[in-house]
Amino acid sequence: MHDYADSDGAESQHDPDAEGSMDGANAMEYNAVAPGDEDEDEDMGQDPSRRKRARANTTGDSRPTGVVPKLEKRRQTLPRDVDGFIPGSIVRIQLENFLTYDWVEFRPGPHLNMIFGPNGTGKSSIACAICIGLNFPPALLARAPDVSSYVKNDKNSGHTEIELKGANGKGNLIIRRMLHRNSKSAPFTLNGKSASGKEVSARMAELNVQVGNLCTFLPQDRVAEFARMTPQQLLKETQRAAGNENLTAWHDTLISSGKELRREQELVDADRDQLQTMEERNTNLERDVRRYEERRALEKQIELLEFIVPIKEYYEAREKYRIIKPQQRAAMANLRQLEQRNKPYLEMEKALTNELKEREKQREDRKQATKRKFKQMSAKWEESEELESQTDDIKNKLSSLKKREKDRLSAMKGHAKTIQECEERLAKPPETEDLEDLNKQLRELAQNNNLTRQRQQELQEQQRANVDKSSRCKHDVEQISRSLQQLDNEAHQRLETMRRSDRDSAEVVEWLRSNKNKFRMEIFEPAILCVNIPNRAYAQAIEACFGHSQLRTFVAQCEEDYRLLNRLCVDTPEALGRKARINTWYKTKDESKLQPPPMSREELAALNFNGYAIDFIDCPEGLKWFLCSDVRMHRTAIALKPNSVNTDRATELVARGPGATYIVGDSAFQVTRSRYGKRLAQTAAHQLGQLRHFTAAAVDPQVRRNFQERLAEARHHLTLIEEEEKELSNSEKEIQAAHRAFKEAHDGLNARKQKVIDAQRAQQNTRLRLQDAQRKLEKLQTVKPVDVERNALKQELLTLASKRINIVRAYLALMRSAIQEQELATRAGLEFLQVAANKATLEALCKEQKEQIQEVEAHTRKITLEFKAAKDVSKRKLEASRQKAADMDDETREKFQAMEANGEIETKSALEWDAELQQRREDLDMNTNTNAGVIDLYNRRKAEIDALTATIEDRQTRILRIEQSITAARDNWQPELEKLVNSIGKKFSAAFDRIGCAGEIRIREDEDYDKWAIDIMVKFRDHEKLQLLTGERQSGGERSLTTILYLMSLTEEARAPFSLVDEINQGMDQRAERAVHNSLVEVTCRADSGQYFLITPKLLPDLNYHARMKILCVNNGEWLPEEKGLGNMMGLIDGFVRARQGRGNANA
């Protein structure tokens, strides 16, 4: 137990209500008085060691700092009660079965409360209790996500009870939260009454409690997050924690209004572009619209003229009909009167005409009868001519009988001579060899030759076998030679290396090379075979990009080939005779879905990277889609020199996206983002493995010797085979000589045999000639005598003569009948001529009357035709006019009626109206037809232009209103923000000056109010420039120091009723920790400072303390008092003092 007192011997003050805990942990508290009070600032400010270090200006250059400026006194903005507590401050905390505590209750002070104790005693549990007990989410603690997890391990339930200072004139607020291990429910009571979480959160908002703000509540597990906060987040959290209470509302208004303004401006710009486009398009359509309107006017005129022309033609036709009708009637009457006066002459002419026709018919009948008689006479004459021709033929036959008999006798003598010659030749046949003997010799010769042929076939079999053995032996020599060459071939070595570890993939490669025609597109072999690295320096880095399976993956370029490859090689044994286990890959190519490289080329060059992995390989173009999509080689940066790259900066750039891998020297750095919480960036580094695949494998000497021995053995076999081939060639020559001897003997025997056969054939032909001559001679000898045939021909001549006599008699009878018919025909012709002469005489007498009648008839016929034509035309025109009138619209009809009423129709003839119609039609043909849809489009777009113009005007009005709102909000927000940041910046710079470093707080402005930020610029070494505080650039101790100094600078401006930092001094050196502690005590123990909790596991000796601060010691162990309230340090001190005073009084 320690007692701290000031130099004047003032007694330490204590809170008699503070109690200790039982069974698990013990919290003890006491106040301390600082030994120097107000003089400490001046002493520290004038320390020569402090004045030697210079601050950096805005450009980062050093300059003397001089004397630390005196800080302005902050205006007190929070109401403070007589007990020193601000509304919302924590007056009392009670915990039961909470984390490390069985039970504890303690009362913090209204200013700085320092909570310290060994690690694991439960200091951070107090921060957890404040967060959970006031209904803030457990996620803010970065610990367990469920409140049930905060119940002590061996307990089923517990509670937190926090008493907050109430508003002036009102009682305190006691919030109890019950916790149950087996239930996620954690109900609240508010001043002893049941309450919902929303009610508790509402009361926290009224008191401005900001446990969720890192600027006011920084638990142990989130200390590092403060430095990783973006400058934008820092600005927002600072506004919430300090300064004018409307800062956040104004900023939110600016952000939302700014977004709305940009959105409206984008919409207006887009609408203006669209409006301009629409107006330009409608301007292009105006010519078509005018042309369409002109065409419509012409069509209307044509429609009217098409009605006027038939109407006018009807009027003219009707007038013509009315004029010609009486003329036709008069002509008809005149014709009938003339015909009546000349009727007797006409009737006589008609009777003569009829009689003439009758006479002409009789004459024609007689003429036809005469023609028939002459035709019959011609037929009899032709029949007689035919019989005469037959008679001539018989006479010719009688004349030829003598010649034929002479020829028969001559032929008989010839055949007798032939018979004699043949008999003489057959009696003396030629001498020939025995044919059987010749055949026997031929058979013996053939039998000998068969043996030779058999020997030849056996020789040929031996030769074929020799050729096969020679071919196989040569193939073995070539294959072994090729294998020896392939031992030095890198691609083949890779294939063999792959075969040793993956036989299936190697065999599929060989099968693919022989079956490329089965696939529509090329199937790429695994990357281990078809990826080459021109510069071997990159081989180790390139190989590190691949996974084991990716090196052995077959890549298809279309789904059809992908399915076929899997079916032939994986799913069935069709390709290899067994199912293979290989990796196959296919993905539809869509480069828009590829994640872009994590760094631009300029950033790569600036960081001394050599490039991305994809830049250092040679491979088929189609394989690059796999290398980018699956291997992500376009996102893997490579630097060969180990120390050439700033890995912190590289990690920062890569962490902007979802993460990636980069390689520096022989180390690979993998940057990823956590899948939980705030998805913070994480970096893992590892050494590159030894190069295994993309290098030429060493040739095994034993393998080479085996190949060489096999090659020598194969060549020896080839020599033996060639010698055997020579022996077989000699045997073949002997067989060919035997064949030639056989052919000569065989040809000689065949010639002798053919000679015998020819002699036998000549004797046979002689016998056949003899038989033929004998048969012909016998036939000539049996021919009938000539006298018999001569008598038969004479009898035929007599028969033909009798027939001709009968024909002549019939011809004479027909001649007489024809003469009679001719006489009748002549008489009928004379009678016809007589009647015709009478008719001609009558016609001559009536010629004048007839011509007059004909003239009247012609006139009547003509005028009748004109009458009928006018009538028909009138009807047609009337019907056409009615049809046009039915199809005519109301506008055209009204216009026609107006023209008809004012007599305009009568001003022109039908031809003139028709000419005008043709002219309008020609004008219409000259006017290009425009689609009616263009007019609809023009009118519709015009309406859209009007609507869009109105929309733009409305948006511009809205933009003006938003700009006015932004101006009003910014006029309020920016001065207050600058005032707050300037105040924090002065304190922050002064605090850094006191520890010999430099720091500044700046506002970073942007057109987007959401991107306004507070930049914390720090410098811890003289040779550095001011640098932005980040989660990666500074060390852990530097970040902790900057964080506590910023929070300390913020404390004087804070609006929150209490603030808390947990173990912020971890990583600081003693000098910095001492300076920070003393400054914190100074700032937080001022009369107008709010409540502050500082949790630390250790304290340096000889630190500054203040009477307003309260120290809470947390102890635990096996020997703690069982009774609640025992173990309170202040109680022990008071008891000791009272006991000493009692002993002094007794002695007195």
Side-chain angles (χ1 to χ4, degrees), residues 650-678:
T651 301
E652 179 183 353
L653 294 179
V654 172
R656 294 178 301 185
T661 300
Y662 63 91
I663 297 172
V664 180
D666 58 353
S667 299
F669 299 84
Q670 185 176 9
V671 181
T672 59
R673 286 198 172 274
S674 172
R675 296 183 179 180
Y676 310 99
K678 295 190 175 181

Side-chain angles (χ1 to χ4, degrees), residues 795-949:
Q795 186 61 40
E796 287 182 11
L797 283 175
L798 293 174
T799 302
L800 290 174
S802 177
K803 288 181 180 181
R804 290 183 67 189
I805 291 171
N806 293 332
I807 289 172
V808 170
R809 289 173 182 169
Y811 183 81
L812 291 173
L814 287 172
M815 186 181 298
R816 295 188 188 99
S817 177
I819 291 171
Q820 292 176 358
E821 289 295 336
Q822 183 65 37
E823 290 177 353
L824 293 174
T826 302
R827 187 178 291 112
L830 293 173
E831 291 175 353
F832 171 77
L833 293 174
Q834 182 62 48
V835 174
N838 294 338
K839 184 175 181 293
T841 302
L842 181 61
E843 287 177 349
L845 293 174
C846 301
K847 180 179 180 182
E848 184 178 352
Q849 292 84 350
K850 191 173 182 180
E851 288 176 354
Q852 185 179 3
I853 292 172
Q854 289 176 348
E855 183 179 349
V856 172
E857 279 182 347
H859 175 68
T860 303
R861 190 163 46 250
K862 177 182 176 183
I863 202 167
T864 300
L865 291 174
E866 292 176 356
F867 169 74
K868 289 181 179 180
K871 185 176 182 181
D872 292 340
V873 169
S874 179
K875 287 182 178 180
R876 287 198 306 273
K877 297 300 182 182
L878 177 61
E879 185 62 29
S881 300
R882 288 174 177 172
Q883 185 65 35
K884 286 289 184 181
D887 297 338
M888 190 167 51
D889 57 29
D890 294 340
E891 180 183 354
T892 308
R893 184 179 291 105
E894 291 174 359
K895 190 170 183 180
F896 171 78
Q897 290 173 352
M899 293 175 67
E900 190 176 29
N902 60 25
E904 187 177 350
I905 303 296
E906 301 300 330
T907 59
K908 297 179 183 178
S909 66
L911 289 175
E912 291 174 333
W913 283 116
D914 187 65
E916 186 173 348
L917 173 61
Q918 297 305 322
Q919 182 61 43
R920 294 294 177 268
R921 285 175 175 168
E922 291 175 0
D923 294 343
L924 184 64
D925 292 339
M926 296 295 292
N927 189 305
T928 306
N929 189 13
T930 301
N931 189 352
V934 173
I935 308 305
D936 294 340
L937 176 62
Y938 176 84
N939 293 330
R940 186 167 62 252
R941 188 176 289 151
K942 187 175 181 182
E944 292 174 356
I945 288 173
D946 296 339
L948 190 58
T949 302

